[in-house]
Amino acid sequence: MRRTMPMAMLAMLVAAHATASPQRAVPGAGWSRVPVLGTGGQQTFHRYCWECHGDGPDRPGTLALQVKYRGEVPARLDQRTDLTADFVIATVRHGISVMPSMRKTEIGDAELNAIAAYLARKR
Amino acid sequence: MRTPPGVSAEDFAAAIAAFQAVVGRDWVFTSDEDLEPYRDAYSILWSEPDERIASAAVAPLTAEEVQAVMRIANDKRIPIYPISTGKNLGYGGAAPVLSGSIVLDLKRMNRILEIDERSAYALVEPGVTYFDLYRAIQDRKLNLWIDCPDPGWGSVIGNALDYGGGYTHSSYRNHFDAHCGMEVVLADGEVLRTGMGALPGARTWQQNKYGYGPFVDGLFKQSSLGVVTKMGIWLYPAPEAYAAGVIGVPRKADINALVDVINYLENTVTMQGMPVFASPFLPLGFAVPLPPGMPSSDASVVEQEAYAARTNTPFWTVTVSYYGPPEVVKAQWEYTKKKASAIPGASFSGGDVIAMPPKPEDLTGMLSKSPFGIPALSIFSIGARSEHSDPTEGHITCSPIIPRTGEGITEAYELIQKTAQRLELPVTVLTPPIGCWARTFVILVMMAVSHDPEKNKRTRTGFRELIKILADHGYGEYRTAPAFQDDVMATYSFNNHALLRFHEAVKDAIDPNGILSAGRYGVWPRHLREKKS
Ligand SMILES: Cc1cc2nc3c(=O)[nH]c(=O)nc-3n(C[C@H](O)[C@H](O)[C@H](O)COP(=O)(O)OP(=O)(O)OC[C@H]3O[C@@H](n4cnc5c(N)ncnc54)[C@H](O)[C@@H]3O)c2cc1C
């Protein structure tokens, strides 16, 4: 049997089924749990993307990007400055790895454009 | 343009135009680009000729529009595949079972029609997600909890119809059991309400699921007989407190007595949370670096027990949890300890009573908030890129139901481990026995999906063999991906497949043109059965 699953995932899996076990982990410093809702693109980003790409130890998208880029670019999408709107739209409609594709009934074109423009904004 | 099997281009075009007239042009999708997200993102047939692909998608806004769509489809013999939120990942996603079907995408029907705090239920449409229902309850400051599965973006209706399970109180975490009252559109566009809902102006549709006469709701579970457009779901009065404690036992065979104790506690509702079993010696589909000196899961029981004794590690643990008033929760944990003390060497830890609602610090470090009825997506860390694993393209899951006994666990694990090793299955996760339903365990054998057809082909071959071997030992799957739905149905074969023949008879009677969810869970309409044989 393949043996590749890391400790973090074991924790995840067991946590998925056990969670509030008596030995709870120590809080990670500086994680902001509740997103501050802005308007337009930011708000839409928070509504649709934050659960995976937000800030915190339990965001699969952020964790995956942290490992992928090793700090070369921020793991949080809303802190990136290298994203293009086209790339964001293509990824949302096609999915990538365990992130599935999103249909127009889930995120409409107008909302997706707003998210893409927000993430592609240059600061 | 792809057309549904057996449907002429003219009929298809006419149906599309008729659908557009019903739902509006923006909500009928036919281009490759628009249909791409209707592929099953976790398909084990990715980009192969047999991949299940929709020929179009139609997204109505109301039950009346669903009726109109079904009338057109029935008239033109167009195969239709309804989805609610279409996030059934690992079990088919948004894609139809019969390639070329038109997906009836109910995501836009996302109204929460009613939340009743006093009677603790909600009445929802198919597009309502766990996130939506949770937020609505929070916004209105209602004293209610929901029970959700790990992925919070799923549909309350879709998950219940596919026999999904959650994590909180035993009376709520079997989602189909917790539904009460449905509205269903049949293949010919007729609409019916089940239970008390058949009484016009019923006052108790969401309180009494059985109504009058035969109980038909089960016909719409994992079925192809109707489009569910409304469903009641029972909610949980927010508990005052929660506690979780851990029982440990020293020897391998102690699992037999331990499961019996847990069953007693659960069946007497002395314990309400989902029991979570674990053992460092379980043959998990993955390796955590073993602590120095720890024997592997293949080592002899003597070696393992010696290690457990030497390091003071319980061979098995089970986390038990309680929801209720603080004094009751406390007493239940005390009683649990007394009951489990009959097992020689049993040890206990935890059991602190936590006041509800949970404070941020109660949630800190919890990777899944489901036991507190809070939806999230953190579970998707499984299969995502991490420090130790490459990202996968998702997974499929073999999900055998096993007896709720210690002997059952031991036998099933030995069989699964041996078979998976022999077949070299790409098992990435083999869960401990999950007790989301009160009378059985389910084990999830998760296998990575790839975009390499050769790898997927090997996985499919092995998966099929695993299904048969498990069935030969009396373990049946409760749910599976479309690629294997016929295989699993074939194992439920008592008396020359009497159950399947019954399903087919009902299918032919209710949906004589065989247009709804053809092939789902191995039930094919007559015209396609004849073609297959
Ligand atoms: C990492 C991971 C973890 C998971 N954890 C869990 C878990 O904890 N518990 C669990 O139960 N599942 C789990 N799943 C499986 C799955 O993701 C969920 O069950 C999910 O809720 C199903 O998707 P959905 O709610 O969008 O249903 P849908 O995809 O909308 O529906 C499922 C199927 O039911 C039928 N259907 C849906 N709506 C209707 C309707 N209105 N009328 C007629 N037929 C209909 C269709 O055939 C549809 O394909 C997990 C999956 C993954 C990938």
Side-chain angles (χ1 to χ4, degrees):
Chain A
M1 215 175 275
R2 220 174 66 157
R3 297 193 163 266
T4 51
M5 185 67 72
M7 195 64 133
M9 279 194 202
L10 176 67
M12 168 68 74
L13 189 72
V14 174
H17 301 296
T19 54
S21 71
Q23 312 87 12
R24 271 169 292 145
V26 185
W31 298 112
S32 70
R33 297 201 65 87
V34 183
V36 183
L37 287 188
T39 51
Q42 186 184 17
Q43 187 172 31
T44 316
F45 171 78
H46 277 141
R47 173 148 180 236
Y48 290 107
C49 317
W50 188 261
E51 279 298 328
C52 280
H53 290 284
D55 189 21
D58 54 353
R59 313 291 181 182
T62 303
L63 289 176
L65 293 174
Q66 207 160 4
V67 175
K68 181 169 182 186
Y69 294 113
R70 308 234 162 252
E72 280 166 33
V73 294
R76 252 175 65 183
L77 291 180
D78 59 340
Q79 295 175 342
R80 294 269 289 267
T81 53
D82 61 328
L83 294 170
T84 65
D86 285 350
F87 177 77
V88 172
I89 291 169
T91 308
V92 169
R93 291 279 181 245
H94 291 265
I96 184 165
S97 175
V98 291
M99 170 180 164
S101 47
M102 310 284 166
R103 315 184 308 275
K104 287 189 175 174
T105 51
E106 296 176 88
I107 306 180
D109 277 338
E111 290 171 306
L112 182 52
N113 288 337
I115 293 170
Y118 169 64
L119 292 181
R121 79 201 183 284
K122 302 291 174 233
R123 273 150 298 179
Chain B
M1 190 190 279
R2 177 188 282 269
T3 54
V7 176
S8 71
E10 297 78 59
D11 277 355
F12 184 64
I16 293 293
F19 292 148
Q20 285 172 337
V22 171
V23 303
R25 299 187 75 86
D26 283 354
W27 301 110
V28 179
F29 304 106
T30 52
S31 72
D32 286 349
E33 193 192 334
D34 284 347
L35 291 176
E36 171 77 19
Y38 287 88
R39 292 174 75 178
D40 171 10
Y42 291 8
S43 176
I44 189 73
L45 294 159
W46 189 260
S47 283
E48 292 188 53
D50 284 346
E51 186 188 338
R52 315 298 163 93
I53 305 229
S55 59
V58 182
L61 191 62
T62 63
E64 291 72 29
E65 289 186 7
V66 173
Q67 289 184 269
V69 166
M70 291 313 301
R71 279 190 214 106
I72 296 162
N74 196 44
D75 188 45
K76 300 271 186 239
R77 310 283 193 268
I78 308 271
I80 295 284
Y81 187 80
I83 58 166
S84 285
T85 50
K87 285 279 171 275
N88 205 10
L89 298 164
Y91 298 113
V97 174
L98 172 69
S99 241
S101 302
I102 293 185
V103 173
L104 183 65
D105 182 345
L106 305 171
K107 178 74 180 103
R108 293 175 67 223
M109 295 174 62
N110 59 5
R111 290 180 304 162
I112 297 171
L113 299 163
E114 203 184 339
I115 304 180
D116 188 313
E117 190 176 34
R118 288 172 79 192
S119 300
Y121 70 79
L123 180 66
V124 297
E125 290 189 331
V128 173
T129 68
Y130 292 98
F131 285 131
D132 297 335
L133 187 54
Y134 177 77
R135 270 186 217 124
I137 289 169
Q138 299 302 309
D139 288 350
R140 294 175 215 186
K141 300 197 174 10
L142 301 176
N143 199 37
L144 292 170
W145 273 29
I146 64 169
D147 185 281
C148 52
D150 265 323
W153 55 15
S155 154
V156 175
I157 291 185
N159 181 276
L161 289 181
D162 215 18
Y163 195 16
Y167 291 85
T168 66
H169 195 290
S170 49
S171 313
Y172 303 88
R173 62 179 187 256
N174 179 332
H175 296 159
F176 189 75
D177 268 12
H179 97 277
C180 186
M182 288 181 189
E183 178 183 271
V184 187
V185 174
L186 302 177
D188 61 2
E190 186 73 273
V191 63
L192 63 83
R193 289 184 176 182
T194 68
M196 303 311 284
L199 180 83
R203 309 273 291 268
T204 53
W205 191 19
Q206 269 63 61
Q207 284 92 326
N208 184 317
K209 56 177 106 176
Y210 299 110
Y212 188 71
F215 178 60
V216 301
D217 291 41
L219 291 175
F220 305 105
K221 168 192 160 281
Q222 299 189 331
S223 89
S224 58
L225 297 175
V227 183
V228 177
T229 45
K230 291 182 184 62
M231 194 183 80
I233 189 83
W234 283 345
L235 304 172
Y236 181 37
E240 289 172 37
Y242 169 90
V246 178
I247 309 172
V249 290
R251 285 166 301 271
K252 184 173 188 185
D254 291 336
I255 188 67
N256 303 351
L258 187 62
V259 174
D260 289 346
V261 167
I262 293 300
N263 288 349
Y264 177 81
L265 294 171
E266 186 144 17
N267 293 339
T268 53
V269 204
T270 310
M271 174 192 79
Q272 307 83 37
M274 188 175 93
V276 179
F277 290 87
S279 167
F281 304 108
L282 274 185
L284 299 168
F286 44 88
V288 278
L290 298 181
M294 181 175 159
S296 78
S297 65
D298 303 331
S300 73
V301 177
V302 175
E303 270 178 88
Q304 291 174 342
E305 287 185 346
Y307 172 85
R310 201 167 60 240
T311 57
N312 213 8
T313 312
F315 200 103
W316 292 97
T317 56
V318 59
T319 304
V320 289
S321 51
Y322 312 86
Y323 298 90
E327 53 273 57
V328 176
V329 159
K330 200 166 178 307
Q332 285 166 330
W333 171 234
E334 291 308 320
Y335 179 78
T336 298
K337 288 194 275 191
K338 189 171 109 186
K339 189 84 184 162
S341 295
I343 305 171
S347 59
F348 305 94
S349 61
D352 296 344
V353 177
I354 305 174
M356 295 288 108
K359 290 183 275 308
E361 56 268 31
D362 297 328
L363 296 171
T364 306
M366 283 181 70
L367 289 169
S368 163
K369 297 179 268 260
S370 301
F372 289 164
I374 304 174
L377 293 173
S378 38
I379 192 72
F380 286 89
S381 294
I382 291 181
R385 187 190 305 271
S386 79
E387 283 297 339
H388 308 276
S389 75
D390 294 329
T392 71
E393 307 297 338
H395 63 260
I396 49 169
T397 306
C398 181
S399 320
I401 301 287
I402 67 162
R404 201 154 168 159
T405 60
E407 293 85 342
I409 295 176
T410 307
E411 280 174 31
Y413 265 93
E414 277 172 17
L415 180 68
I416 292 170
Q417 185 185 23
K418 211 171 62 198
T419 309
Q421 269 168 347
R422 181 171 62 77
L423 300 174
E424 294 181 13
L425 282 167
V427 176
T428 46
V429 175
L430 175 57
T431 62
I434 299 173
C436 55
W437 303 300
R439 300 278 172 154
T440 50
F441 288 123
V442 58
I443 294 176
L444 304 183
V445 191
M446 294 163 80
M447 295 167 220
V449 164
S450 127
H451 278 182
D452 172 354
E454 274 312 307
K455 275 194 195 159
N456 285 346
K457 198 172 154 210
R458 281 198 298 277
T459 306
R460 291 200 299 272
T461 309
F463 199 116
R464 292 214 164 86
E465 198 167 335
L466 183 62
I467 291 169
K468 281 208 200 84
I469 291 168
L470 287 169
D472 287 345
H473 288 79
Y475 308 122
E477 249 129 302
Y478 88 101
R479 184 181 185 187
T480 198
F484 311 107
Q485 290 183 352
D486 288 336
D487 301 85
V488 172
M489 193 67 231
T491 64
Y492 285 80
S493 61
F494 170 76
N495 185 21
N496 186 26
H497 305 270
L499 180 63
L500 175 60
R501 288 185 283 118
F502 179 81
H503 287 321
E504 289 169 348
V506 176
K507 177 74 182 161
D508 294 346
I510 308 291
D511 177 12
N513 295 323
I515 59 158
L516 201 55
S517 298
R520 182 154 197 256
Y521 284 102
V523 179
W524 293 91
R526 186 183 285 131
H527 68 283
L528 295 173
R529 286 201 300 275
E530 283 162 2
K531 230 193 216 157
K532 278 178 64 174
S533 60

